[in-house]
Amino acid sequence: MSVGKGRGKSILFGEHFVVYGIPSLAAGIDAVTIAHVSRGKSLGWTLDDQRPAVPGYKEKKMDEQKESINNVLNFLDIDTSKNGIHIEYGGDLICASGFGASAASCVSLARALSEEFNLGLSDEKVNEAAYEGEKGYHGTPSGLDNTASTYGGLVWYIRDLEGGPPKFKPIKLKEPVNLVIASTGITASTTEVVGDVRAKKDANPEWFEKISKEYENLVHEALTSLENQDLVKVGQLMNRNHELLQDITVSCKELDDLVKIARDNGALGAKMTGTGRGGNMIAITVDESARDTVAKALEEGGAAFVIKTTFGA
Ligand code: MEV
């Protein structure tokens, strides 16, 4: 039996805009999905999915998951009509929109397959295999989630719109930043939400261009502020990024309510993260004690669950 791991992630800046080649910043989080791959008793592949999940998530994603596993197998040239395999998913990453659970499963699978079939995949190849897997979940992924999941840490990521390799670089901060992640418990379809944004952009390109330009300036400022450890500024930029995401209609009442609770209880900044219309919000705080206060307020204020973590160091 072989084992592979993929990290969860949280997008700090740039969900949706990253799809159009604008820079983004994402942080790998500690929670992981672990894949175990063994030779199957029959031909084809079988799956035992033991990952913790919010109600409805696995059912909603089941067809996409099948396509994704087939994509990873095809990319790695593994023909299960000759070598049957059994896949088991576990780990502590909760399957809920916003954590990059689909990307983490693809990365963990590619790593376990590499070990089982002696493929010797580099991280770069694992990332490419996971990107193919992500296409099963949403036709035109930016590649940000699988990159954050493969490499962990904080990454600055730009998609190549011509289909070439993305540009990304790891960012190391002087001090880790305290982060709270709160889930609405609502499972969103990335394909649907990304498709809807694209339709709105196509219907009104000038409107989208104006918002994108502001976002692009904002993300450069966010990188500088993070590097200077100016967390007050980072928080302000997160708040503004949330408003831009509201403008492109990917937030929702549940996310806005959690964002408000976090800000009212001392967060330096808060925003939705990931696909939106459900999924997660994130908030940064000045220290651990402020993080505990914000996390408690979010738990009491109706979040499905809350995670306290750090990023950047
Ligand atoms: C989903 O986690 C992030 C989106 O920007 C889609 C993508 O990057 O492919 C909404």
Side-chain angles (χ1 to χ4, degrees), residues 17 26 33 46 51 102 104 106 128 138 144 152 162 166 263:
F17 299 107
T33 290
T46 48
R51 294 173 300 168
S102 60
C106 297
E128 281 175 28
H138 46 116
L144 172 60
E162 309 301 317
R263 289 179 192 158

Side-chain angles (χ1 to χ4, degrees), residues 9 11 15-16 18-19 138 141-142 145 194 274-275:
K9 68 92 196 35
I11 299 177
E15 47 280 281
H16 291 284
V18 67
V19 171
H138 46 116
S142 66
D145 289 10
V194 169
T275 299

Side-chain angles (χ1 to χ4, degrees), residues 232-293:
V232 170
K233 185 72 198 173
V234 176
Q236 288 165 356
L237 294 168
M238 286 170 75
N239 291 344
R240 181 63 190 143
N241 193 173
H242 183 72
E243 285 171 356
L244 296 178
L245 291 162
Q246 285 175 319
D247 289 349
I248 63 166
T249 77
V250 296
S251 192
C252 61
K253 182 176 182 318
E254 291 81 355
L255 283 166
D256 293 346
D257 287 350
L258 293 178
V259 162
K260 181 165 182 335
I261 291 172
R263 289 179 192 158
D264 288 352
N265 285 276
L268 295 172
K271 64 181 274 292
M272 56 154 277
T273 178
T275 299
R277 297 191 190 160
N280 296 349
M281 58 72 66
I282 51 171
I284 60 163
T285 60
V286 71
D287 58 22
E288 266 183 46
S289 139
R291 188 179 65 181
D292 289 346
T293 308

Side-chain angles (χ1 to χ4, degrees), residues 133-173:
E134 276 282 88
K135 287 184 185 166
Y137 283 97
H138 46 116
T140 54
S142 66
L144 172 60
D145 289 10
N146 47 280
T147 303
S149 175
T150 302
Y151 295 95
L154 182 60
V155 293
W156 172 261
Y157 179 92
I158 305 172
R159 177 186 196 188
D160 184 314
L161 293 182
E162 309 301 317
K167 289 193 190 69
F168 62 91
K169 62 171 182 187
I171 310 286
K172 194 112 179 103
L173 302 182

Side-chain angles (χ1 to χ4, degrees), residues 81-303:
S81 69
K82 295 196 183 92
N83 293 298
I85 58 165
H86 180 66
I87 304 163
E88 203 181 298
Y89 284 136
D92 60 350
L93 179 65
I94 301 172
C95 296
S97 290
F99 284 113
S102 60
S105 70
C106 297
V107 169
S108 68
L109 178 62
R111 288 196 166 129
L113 289 168
S114 173
E115 191 180 305
E116 184 64 26
F117 292 95
N118 295 317
L119 304 176
L121 297 184
S122 60
D123 279 348
E124 196 183 342
K125 273 279 166 233
V126 165
N127 197 21
E128 281 175 28
Y131 178 66
E132 292 306 310
E134 276 282 88
K135 287 184 185 166
Y137 283 97
H138 46 116
T140 54
S142 66
L144 172 60
D145 289 10
N146 47 280
T147 303
S149 175
T150 302
Y151 295 95
L154 182 60
V155 293
W156 172 261
Y157 179 92
I158 305 172
R159 177 186 196 188
D160 184 314
L161 293 182
E162 309 301 317
K167 289 193 190 69
F168 62 91
K169 62 171 182 187
I171 310 286
K172 194 112 179 103
L173 302 182
K174 287 180 214 119
E175 298 282 339
V177 179
N178 287 290
L179 183 75
V180 184
I181 308 173
S183 167
T184 61
I186 302 169
T187 300
S189 160
T190 304
T191 314
E192 268 169 43
V193 183
V194 169
D196 191 37
V197 171
R198 187 177 293 280
K200 287 191 165 60
K201 170 182 177 289
D202 291 348
N204 196 344
E206 292 82 22
W207 161 81
F208 196 81
E209 177 64 21
K210 187 164 173 279
I211 297 174
S212 299
K213 266 272 147 266
E214 181 176 347
Y215 165 73
E216 190 164 0
N217 292 334
L218 184 154
V219 72
H220 285 283
E221 225 182 315
L223 178 60
T224 310
S225 307
L226 278 166
E227 286 175 332
N228 294 338
Q229 215 77 28
D230 183 353
L231 298 186
V232 170
K233 185 72 198 173
V234 176
Q236 288 165 356
L237 294 168
M238 286 170 75
N239 291 344
R240 181 63 190 143
N241 193 173
H242 183 72
E243 285 171 356
L244 296 178
L245 291 162
Q246 285 175 319
D247 289 349
I248 63 166
T249 77
V250 296
S251 192
C252 61
K253 182 176 182 318
E254 291 81 355
L255 283 166
D256 293 346
D257 287 350
L258 293 178
V259 162
K260 181 165 182 335
I261 291 172
R263 289 179 192 158
D264 288 352
N265 285 276
L268 295 172
K271 64 181 274 292
M272 56 154 277
T273 178
T275 299
R277 297 191 190 160
N280 296 349
M281 58 72 66
I282 51 171
I284 60 163
T285 60
V286 71
D287 58 22
E288 266 183 46
S289 139
R291 188 179 65 181
D292 289 346
T293 308
V294 170
K296 189 158 176 285
L298 288 165
E299 268 158 9
E300 289 169 0

